[in-house]
Amino acid sequence: MIEVNFDGIIGPTHNYAGLSIGNIASATNAGDVSAPRLAALQGIGKMRRTMALGLRQGIFLPHVRPNTDWLRTLGFVGDDAEVLASAWASDRALIANAMSASAMWTANAGTVSPSSDTADGLCHISVANLSTMPHRASEAAQTERQLRLAFADPRFFRIHSPVPAPFGDEGAANFMRLTSQAGHGAVEMFVYGEGNAGGFPSRQHRTASEAVARRHGIDPARTLLVRQSDAAIAAGAFHNDVVAVSNGHVLFAHEHAFANPAALRSAVQALIPDAVMIEVPADRVSLHTAIRTYLFNSQLVTLPDGGMALILPAEARDDETVWMWLGELVACNGPIRQLEVADVRESMRNGGGPACLRLRVQVDPDALAAIDPRFLLDETVCARIERVIAREWPETIAPDDLGDPRLWERCTAARQALVAALGFGPDEI
Ligand code: SUG
């Protein structure tokens, strides 16, 4: 199987509106001036890094923003400019929601079960409903459109519409998968939360996780439902991928990521006896530091030579305790051999690290050939995207700019330029 990482291109409306309760970075940076052009170029820079490591890279496009269709469902009428002006006059928060670039975090686009795990041998993808936050819930329709376009071939792929609200489903950010090196198969782990923790909502509901596993046709004997610890949610781990990441036979997690880590360990060992579980103890890296630096929101990837690398946010390198721990990790001759640092600070400031920005899809060569090639990246396409971003994306967005008709027009035109540059028709995506 070949793993393709599909990153969301960071859209021209990237801004700091503080929309996500329980996401400490989003709350802390609310009201700051954002830098959409820099943000998007940082995102492309990370994609270039993964390609340079010999990995396959894909893209998803920014959604239509401002999202006038969504505002129309709230009763605003007229042409786009009228809809936006009346929404701004009525409730600025609605415009903040309609301008959010949050579709960039494609780890929340959907949950992917590769064909080797499913009863019918197809790769199943469930679109996430993201029902907990309004700005994220409005993503599902456009996400579904892109997924159905990219993975249209029914010989290999099956796309499922979102699980109905209010069963919150946040996609692959709360999903992990382990595979045995010694041929013991795979295990899919669905991580959910219960109720409120420290005043923050748990966004992934157990019912939604169970529904996704059922729809994908995963063998119940190889499915684990894992409860996230309340302590992690209360400390700001609004998604499991803020405190844990898996790849191949390796699970890398914070000591306090799960409600019952001992039970998880023995369940994994029973199914994947050669699994390696690397747990970072709280007395080396506190939960608070792990969440501030996004140590675990790194991409754990298998390199072409079989070794594993962690693609970490720069914030993890900038913290002495985290960097020291990582130095020991790579020195100990375990499966993780290489550290790669990616600067995605603009995304980080809204709570999105390297792992949030990508959706992993594992495919065999035939299924890879069946993916719409416009969603796959190479150096030439990268350069083309960078030129569009450099020319069209706003340099900055301050909170009051969100009500400026010139910004609305500019962002609409910027996305249209990207859509055309990538070979999509104006209404195709
Ligand atoms: O849903 N931030 C996103 C960050 C998502 C990170 N994804 C993963 N962990 N996989 C969220 O909280 C902030 C938007 C704002 O405040 O304007 C935001 O939506």
Side-chain angles (χ1 to χ4, degrees):
M1 296 289 254
I2 304 149
E3 176 170 292
V4 187
N5 283 282
F6 288 84
D7 279 46
I9 296 174
I10 299 175
T13 61
H14 164 66
N15 72 90
Y16 299 122
L19 297 176
S20 277
I21 305 154
N23 172 339
I24 312 260
S26 157
T28 308
N29 296 308
D32 278 6
V33 176
S34 67
R37 189 181 299 172
L38 176 64
L41 293 174
Q42 286 173 344
I44 300 290
K46 177 173 88 71
M47 298 186 222
R48 282 190 180 278
R49 290 291 284 283
T50 57
M51 288 197 296
L53 291 171
L55 306 174
R56 293 305 301 247
Q57 185 66 52
I59 43 166
F60 290 126
L61 274 72
H63 290 188
V64 175
R65 296 288 181 270
N67 192 351
T68 44
D69 284 350
W70 182 74
L71 292 170
R72 284 195 170 85
T73 67
L74 292 166
F76 296 104
V77 292
D79 62 22
D80 282 359
E82 285 163 348
V83 163
L84 290 160
S86 48
W88 179 253
S90 154
D91 183 352
R92 290 181 172 210
L94 292 179
I95 289 287
N97 281 283
M99 286 288 276
S100 173
S102 57
M104 68 171 89
W105 298 298
T106 52
N108 305 118
T111 306
V112 184
S113 294
S115 59
S116 49
D117 296 359
T118 63
D120 60 9
L122 298 177
C123 173
H124 285 247
I125 307 180
S126 274
V127 179
N129 65 23
L130 292 162
S131 64
T132 304
M133 311 270 165
H135 69 293
R136 302 233 55 190
S138 69
E139 289 170 37
Q142 292 188 52
T143 297
E144 181 161 358
R145 183 138 37 109
Q146 291 199 34
L147 290 174
R148 289 195 185 276
L149 206 52
F151 306 105
D153 193 329
R155 291 174 304 153
F156 302 103
F157 301 104
R158 171 98 199 268
I159 309 294
H160 301 263
S161 297
V163 168
F167 305 117
D169 178 23
E170 305 260 330
N174 294 307
F175 174 83
M176 301 186 295
R177 182 171 179 269
L178 287 173
T179 53
S180 163
Q181 288 194 305
H184 301 283
V187 58
E188 294 202 352
M189 291 170 281
F190 294 80
V191 186
Y192 64 93
E194 293 280 357
N196 270 300
F200 295 155
S202 49
R203 299 201 208 172
Q204 182 73 34
H205 299 186
R206 183 181 169 115
T207 309
S209 299
E210 287 169 338
V212 171
R214 205 159 32 231
R215 299 190 317 175
H216 289 194
I218 309 304
D219 178 357
R222 307 203 68 84
T223 302
L224 297 178
L225 281 140
V226 184
R227 185 172 165 185
Q228 206 185 351
S229 82
D230 286 348
I233 296 170
F238 53 94
H239 290 135
N240 172 65
D241 69 1
V242 174
V243 281
V245 60
S246 72
N247 179 56
H249 64 301
V250 177
L251 174 58
F252 178 52
H254 191 270
E255 180 186 356
H256 297 315
F258 308 111
N260 191 342
L264 174 62
R265 208 172 302 122
S266 51
V268 165
Q269 257 148 15
L271 290 164
I272 315 269
D274 56 332
V276 173
M277 282 178 269
I278 305 171
E279 191 181 86
V280 181
D283 62 10
R284 290 296 311 275
V285 177
S286 69
L287 205 43
H288 170 76
T289 302
I291 291 167
R292 188 176 42 78
T293 60
Y294 265 37
L295 158 63
F296 297 98
N297 201 263
S298 42
Q299 288 177 245
L300 182 55
V301 294
T302 303
L303 300 173
D305 71 0
M308 288 193 197
L310 267 178
I311 305 172
L312 297 143
E315 287 76 357
R317 180 197 52 203
D318 297 346
D319 184 278
E320 215 178 309
T321 52
V322 169
W323 197 241
M324 198 184 294
W325 195 89
L326 285 166
E328 290 170 30
L329 175 73
V330 289
C332 77
N333 223 10
I336 303 177
R337 313 247 172 90
Q338 198 173 322
L339 305 177
E340 295 282 329
V341 176
D343 179 2
V344 287
R345 283 183 203 273
E346 278 289 311
S347 167
M348 282 286 287
R349 298 187 70 228
N350 252 341
C356 300
L357 285 162
R358 63 91 175 90
L359 183 69
R360 292 191 272 194
V361 182
Q362 290 96 357
V363 281
D364 64 22
D366 289 339
L368 177 61
I371 297 174
D372 185 326
R374 295 173 296 182
F375 291 94
L376 295 173
L377 203 59
D378 61 23
E379 296 289 334
T380 314
V381 179
C382 243
R384 197 184 310 149
I385 297 172
E386 280 167 338
R387 280 196 297 274
V388 176
I389 292 169
R391 195 178 61 231
E392 307 277 349
W393 261 231
E395 265 182 295
T396 58
I397 298 181
D400 283 345
D401 297 340
L402 294 179
D404 185 342
R406 285 168 306 181
L407 182 70
W408 302 333
E409 279 162 27
R410 178 158 193 197
C411 291
T412 302
R415 180 184 185 274
Q416 280 166 355
L418 179 70
V419 164
L422 292 172
F424 294 97
D427 298 320
E428 193 180 4
I429 195 161

